[in-house]
Amino acid sequence: MNSAIRWSAEAIWEAVVPELPGFTVEVLPQIDSTNSELMRRARAGRLEPVLLVAEQQTAGRGRLGRDWHSDAGAGANKAMSGSLTFSLGLPLSPLDWSGLSLAVGVSLVQSLHPDLRLKWPNDVWLHERKLAGILIETVSLGNTAATRYAVVGVGINIKEPEATGLATPPAWLGEVLPGVDAPQALLRIAAALVRALKAFEVHGFAPFQTGFNERDALGGLTVTLSDGTTGVAQGVDRVGALRVHTAQGLKKISSSEVSVRPLKPLPYENL
Ligand code: BTN
């Protein structure tokens, strides 16, 4: 690695390896996408637990087939990355996979700052603007139906993005944690994220339900579902399904393909 950015790879490794034997930390100056790389490795049979960090992604991917652009940050400085982009890959065998991305979101916001909120299913918001996104993909291991190699990808804006031309730009971590750079943010997040994934493997989403609802950005808001139905969002249930009180009664939304919008358009939808 030949980088001006100083990553705390060893400190992260020391905190995580007791929980995750065989764990390694890898930092790359550039790659297409950390998720794509770990998915390629898993499909080639490389299933060891790894935290793969990229200082720059050339083809970052978001949910629902969207691109994920990481910004160098206004006034870009080589020793400071404008965003944090990483993927954590590990074999997981929970009884029920429902709510995994929500549990990851809960872990991230709890590690970072009390002002951060979660927009179901897995966006991290700050002051009603998107700060971070989560993309989880899995590869079947074939041997047992229950175990899969999970790739948990996280992208967080750290510095103020360069002018986007948008009326409302995305949020960035420096708004609430000035001076915290990408390596420091990763150090705050990594070990707790691994613990959260291990807890999820044993107990499922239930232990994260309260944490999600405490940080729920949609709670009490009138939302519109993709089928046009409107209702009032009422938090998530024990498996992470969004509860929406509609004229037809309580609806539970579990498919992440269903988009849920507050009635007023969200600023980041202009992105
Ligand atoms: C979203 O909000 O749509 C999810 C964005 C996830 C972006 C991260 S950045 C690290 C990892 N590699 C990717 O290509 N995507 C995820």
Side-chain angles (χ1 to χ4, degrees):
M1 181 177 62
N2 178 19
S3 160
I5 304 175
R6 299 180 65 83
W7 296 92
S8 303
E10 202 168 318
I12 293 171
W13 179 83
E14 277 173 6
V16 169
V17 78
E19 312 220 21
L20 214 49
F23 174 72
T24 56
V25 180
E26 204 176 321
V27 180
L28 299 176
Q30 190 184 71
I31 195 159
D32 55 349
S33 146
T34 53
N35 263 49
S36 300
E37 173 62 10
L38 292 191
M39 292 296 283
R40 284 190 291 265
R41 292 184 191 181
R43 290 189 184 113
R46 294 177 57 188
L47 303 172
E48 52 288 337
V50 60
L51 176 67
L52 180 65
V53 184
E55 291 177 355
Q56 193 188 11
Q57 290 191 131
T58 54
R61 294 187 290 111
R63 291 177 57 242
L64 309 177
R66 298 183 185 122
D67 294 337
W68 176 265
H69 299 285
S70 333
D71 196 289
N77 163 354
K78 271 195 185 317
M80 241 186 119
S81 183
S83 58
L84 171 62
T85 50
F86 70 88
S87 300
L88 177 64
L90 75 172
L92 272 188
S93 43
L95 282 178
D96 181 358
W97 289 84
S98 330
L100 175 59
S101 65
L102 285 73
V104 169
V106 172
S107 173
L108 294 179
V109 299
Q110 288 179 344
S111 296
L112 286 172
H113 195 274
D115 286 356
L116 304 191
R117 293 287 172 270
L118 292 160
K119 190 246 171 189
W120 187 91
N122 54 7
D123 284 351
V124 176
W125 278 8
L126 173 63
H127 307 148
E128 300 189 356
R129 288 139 56 222
K130 184 163 173 167
L131 174 93
I134 298 162
L135 175 66
I136 300 186
E137 300 175 291
T138 65
V139 174
S140 168
L141 300 192
N143 50 354
T144 72
T147 307
R148 301 178 73 86
Y149 189 82
V151 176
V152 176
V154 176
I156 304 177
N157 303 320
I158 301 291
K159 294 205 301 177
E160 179 178 5
E162 294 203 33
T164 55
L166 302 174
T168 313
W172 69 96
L173 196 64
E175 293 179 64
V176 284
L177 291 173
V180 169
D181 60 11
Q184 288 164 353
L186 183 65
L187 189 57
R188 282 175 183 243
I189 291 167
L193 179 57
V194 171
R195 282 196 296 277
L197 292 168
K198 299 303 281 180
F200 180 89
E201 185 170 44
V202 178
H203 305 292
F205 179 70
F208 298 92
Q209 181 189 8
T210 304
F212 189 98
N213 287 336
E214 284 170 356
R215 304 289 197 110
D216 180 15
L218 296 179
L221 295 184
T222 300
V223 295
T224 307
L225 310 182
S226 341
D227 66 358
T229 313
T230 59
V232 178
Q234 295 186 331
V236 297
D237 68 7
R238 285 174 66 80
V239 292
L242 183 70
R243 296 156 44 92
V244 181
H245 189 75
T246 73
Q248 293 77 43
L250 184 69
K251 278 198 172 195
K252 288 191 177 187
I253 316 297
S254 51
S255 167
S256 60
E257 302 300 311
V258 173
S259 74
V260 178
R261 303 188 154 88
L263 220 47
K264 170 173 78 86
L266 298 175
Y268 75 79
E269 282 170 4
N270 298 332
L271 285 173

